[in-house]
Amino acid sequence: MNNDLEAIMGDRLVTITDVYKATGIARSTLVQLYYRRAKNVNLVTLKTLCDYLGVSLSELIEYNPSTQRLSWH
């Protein structure tokens, strides 16, 4: 899974501090997302980011399933 937060913020010329002040999302969470270190992100956080940045979830987060498939028996 990849996120494009850094690129989207760069396009809009907003900083982590700008996003923090406008959304109330913890700076530590934003830093982890910005530098692609976040492991688990709350859906409310993602929705808040999407709303603030004016993007869809698919624009913010890119998911490509692994080639390994689960077998359902």
Side-chain angles (χ1 to χ4, degrees), residues 48-60:
T48 302
L49 277 173
C50 289
D51 289 345
Y52 173 73
L53 295 168
V55 298
S56 68
L57 183 58
S58 61
E59 290 173 288
L60 181 63

Side-chain angles (χ1 to χ4, degrees), residues 1-4 57-64:
M1 217 185 300
N2 294 319
N3 80 67
D4 291 324
L57 183 58
S58 61
E59 290 173 288
L60 181 63
I61 302 291
E62 176 187 357
Y63 174 70
N64 294 312

Side-chain angles (χ1 to χ4, degrees), residues 1-15:
M1 217 185 300
N2 294 319
N3 80 67
D4 291 324
L5 182 60
E6 179 184 4
I8 294 167
M9 287 175 58
D11 288 346
R12 288 159 177 73
L13 301 175
V14 295
T15 66

